[in-house]
Amino acid sequence: MTLDAGLDQPLRVVNVGLELFAEQIEAQGAAVDRVDWRPPAGGPDIASLLARLED
Amino acid sequence: MAVRAVVRRSFYQDSMVLMSVAARLRGQPGVREAAALMGTPANHALLAAAGLASPEVKGAAPGDLVLVVDAESEAAAAAALEAAGAMLEERSRASGVLRRPRTLEAALAARPDANLAVISVPGAYAALEARTALRGGLHVFLFSDNVSLADEVELKRLAAARGLLCMGPDCGTAYLGGIGLGFANVVPRGRIGCVAASGTGLQAVVSQLAALGEGISHGIGVGGRDLSAEVGGTMTTLALAALARDPRTEAIVVISKPPSAAALPALESAIRATGKPVVVCCLGAASSGAPGTWVSTLDDAADAAAALLRGVSWSPRAFSDPDSVRARLAALGPARGTIRGLYTGGTLAHEARLLLEPLLGATGHRILDLGADEFTVGRPHPMLDPDARAAQVREAARDRDVGVVLLDVVLGRGTHPNPAGVVARAVRDARETAARAGRGLLAVASVVGTDADPQGRRHQVEELRAAGVEVLPSNAQAARFVALALRPELALALLGPR
């Protein structure tokens, strides 16, 4: 959904991080999927490097 | 005394869970101190400094959970660690964590109609996740701070090129289509759209608008650095264009720190292009002939926007109820000493500084933003975990130079369930400490929020007043009240003739 569709489209949320934000959005009636996030192996620098290599 | 630690490999937990695990450990019989943290380099340094870097802890990686207890006996330490372990197992089972996708890519593959990613992982990893979301065609709400400026520039360029919002990094609050994201007050929908480079600034304006009977269409957060020279207002201009096209939005409020000279032309032309009334609250900047109605406080931003829509005239005011301010000041008598401002909202701290400096000069007063990056590495934001601020309130009472503490209490979904209660306890302790030393301590606060918020504004105000806190209707009014308490001769300028 880009901004061309306007700002009033129903939200379909993916939450990556604090669980309380997912709960709070659900409590307002929007659908939320949660990622069971954990730090990538090797730390942020290696992960960032790998992501760039994939480009 | 026994210090015991356990490391659970590949067992990442977010900072809120860690906070509750640490609290559970501390509540166990015979436990003196406890910590629950991930094995990051910063946390290893903390543990070493505390003398808790045992051999089993030293090998912990950032994805490994470390639990440490300092207890009266080996048996007490072991029992406490067992209780914390049971709590974590129960939590994993109850929340269905085992069935969830482990990466954002996997979640997007399973849910191709997702349109917004809410990201609050530690800053070092946040840009990676945001990039993945934007490439997948999702708007991003990026709560994480400690994201580099270079990453921010790149993410926002990517978002703008795809017609997507990248709200943040360091975006505390937003509203899209009536749904509040992050720290969001419960406010009605209405006809005012906001673009905010400040989470608490947005919270203060929408709460004040609600008190005036106005609702908001959308509140687009952009992160505190959007109008910097480097970022150039990429998201502010995109958000203004989106609100210009939005049929619900009849007037717009822009909230930010002063724009850099490099970003100002883009901001001005975006404001002009909206064709709608725009109120600009760039705290610390004067209008200098730019388009829009420029105001200098968050209070004024809400008042001016409501007045513009209603077609009535508006002028800034120092206090909404000067007579009651006069009466309170007379009852309190003059205050002495310096101000210690202890803020959870960065923009509120900034606003207080801007108001106080011209009135009092910069002699010894300290206004701290406890949500700044330097205070939040490896720990939750003070709106989630108010204990760090409470400790600072108690500490301020031990400083013989401090005569006034100035505070914000920010309500809303996502924030602590009872921030006023934590502040009230700390203020009671602080005032006792000061009284024992033969000093007075004036505590002044404002409450950002509405009666519809989970904490209830009225209830929170009552709780503060019961602890002897002077509560003003807004942050600007609280700051001016403090100035008057310290310098009664300002009364004519701020309160007008009697």
Side-chain angles (χ1 to χ4, degrees):
Chain A
M1 176 189 82
T2 69
L3 286 171
D4 294 339
L7 292 165
D8 254 320
Q9 303 301 311
L11 292 185
R12 171 95 237 179
V13 177
V14 179
N15 186 65
V16 193
L18 298 174
E19 167 64 18
L20 93 154
F21 289 153
E23 288 168 2
Q24 158 205 342
I25 293 165
E26 261 173 356
Q28 297 175 79
V32 182
D33 287 290
R34 294 155 166 88
V35 174
D36 180 24
W37 186 88
R38 53 199 66 201
D45 297 338
I46 299 288
S48 183
L49 194 64
L50 286 173
R52 278 168 205 285
L53 286 175
E54 283 164 18
D55 287 349
Chain B
M1 180 181 127
V3 176
R4 286 276 302 274
V6 291
V7 175
R8 300 186 68 155
R9 303 284 168 204
S10 296
F11 202 74
Y12 178 79
Q13 301 294 316
D14 72 46
S15 53
M16 293 298 291
V17 174
L18 295 174
M19 198 169 84
S20 59
V21 172
R24 170 70 68 96
L25 278 170
R26 283 189 205 105
Q28 296 297 311
V31 171
R32 280 185 279 220
E33 192 44 81
L37 28 76
M38 304 309 300
T40 61
N43 286 337
H44 279 299
L46 281 176
L47 287 170
L52 297 172
S54 61
E56 68 260 50
V57 164
K58 276 184 181 154
D64 299 341
L65 172 67
V66 181
L67 302 175
V68 189
V69 287
D70 172 3
E72 282 161 9
S73 67
E74 287 287 342
L81 287 171
E82 200 162 307
M87 175 189 176
L88 285 164
E89 295 301 337
E90 175 54 33
R91 208 190 150 274
S92 300
R93 267 198 305 277
S95 63
V97 163
L98 301 175
R99 296 187 300 276
R100 290 181 188 166
R102 297 280 289 269
T103 65
L104 180 55
E105 288 93 334
L108 296 182
R111 186 68 69 181
D113 58 339
N115 54 19
L116 172 70
V118 171
I119 299 170
S120 57
V121 299
Y125 303 97
L128 263 178
E129 303 297 334
R131 203 174 289 124
T132 302
L134 291 168
R135 285 187 181 145
L138 281 77
H139 297 300
V140 167
F141 175 82
L142 185 48
F143 179 84
S144 313
D145 58 6
N146 291 297
V147 172
S148 78
L149 193 55
D151 278 336
E152 176 170 351
V153 170
E154 187 197 326
L155 289 171
K156 286 182 169 174
R157 279 193 191 141
L158 176 63
R162 295 180 179 221
L164 295 168
L165 295 171
C166 180
M167 297 183 276
D170 202 11
C171 183
T173 305
Y175 296 85
L176 273 189
I179 306 284
L181 306 171
F183 302 141
N185 299 95
V186 180
V187 296
R189 283 208 88 183
R191 49 188 181 157
I192 299 178
C194 298
V195 180
S198 151
T200 39
L202 179 58
Q203 288 188 268
V205 168
V206 300
S207 296
Q208 169 75 357
L209 284 171
L212 295 168
E214 292 289 346
I216 59 157
S217 53
H218 308 278
I220 302 174
V222 296
R225 298 185 297 210
D226 196 65
L227 288 169
S228 66
E230 293 85 350
V231 186
T234 313
M235 273 305 124
T236 304
T237 53
L238 196 71
L240 279 167
L243 290 174
R245 290 193 302 272
D246 178 53
R248 280 177 189 270
T249 303
E250 295 176 32
I252 299 170
V253 180
V254 177
I255 304 152
S256 176
K257 285 183 181 145
S260 66
L264 186 61
L267 174 65
E268 289 184 358
S269 67
I271 290 172
R272 247 182 238 112
T274 62
K276 296 181 180 180
V278 179
V279 173
V280 185
C281 178
C282 286
L283 292 168
S287 81
S288 67
T293 302
W294 287 56
V295 299
S296 52
T297 67
L298 298 162
D299 249 7
D300 291 347
D303 290 354
L308 272 176
L309 275 177
R310 294 167 186 179
V312 299
S313 69
W314 167 85
S315 59
R317 56 191 181 161
F319 291 102
S320 46
D321 185 356
D323 289 341
S324 93
V325 167
R326 223 185 281 275
R328 288 305 308 151
L329 287 167
L332 289 165
R336 288 186 183 77
T338 63
I339 303 165
R340 181 68 51 84
L342 297 169
Y343 277 85
T344 59
T347 298
L348 300 176
H350 181 62
E351 183 183 52
R353 266 184 227 116
L354 287 171
L355 288 165
L356 287 168
E357 271 181 24
L359 294 170
L360 300 176
T363 47
H365 306 298
R366 288 178 69 201
I367 310 287
L368 301 178
D369 165 20
L370 301 176
D373 284 5
E374 70 212 77
F375 294 108
T376 57
V377 177
R379 64 173 307 151
H381 191 279
M383 282 185 206
L384 298 169
D385 175 13
D387 290 343
R389 200 242 310 248
Q392 296 245 21
V393 170
R394 293 183 173 96
E395 182 63 37
R398 287 189 277 275
D399 185 332
R400 69 170 69 169
D401 294 330
V402 174
V404 180
V405 288
L406 176 59
L407 307 160
D408 61 344
V409 174
V410 182
L411 314 181
R413 290 195 174 102
T415 65
H416 190 270
N418 183 14
V422 177
V423 167
R425 279 193 296 280
V427 166
R428 279 199 183 93
D429 292 349
R431 287 163 66 96
E432 261 175 42
T433 302
R436 275 198 302 274
R439 296 192 304 269
L441 184 69
L442 173 63
V444 178
S446 63
V447 178
V448 171
T450 69
D451 284 330
D453 281 330
Q455 304 90 346
R457 184 176 195 282
R458 194 168 309 153
H459 176 75
Q460 293 280 292
V461 169
E462 280 163 12
E463 191 144 358
L464 291 169
R465 289 201 168 129
V469 180
E470 294 297 324
V471 184
L472 277 289
S474 73
N475 179 55
Q477 295 187 43
R480 293 188 189 109
F481 185 90
V482 164
L484 277 174
L486 288 168
R487 291 197 41 201
E489 68 273 21
L490 293 168
L492 187 64
L494 291 177
L495 287 166
R498 193 181 288 266

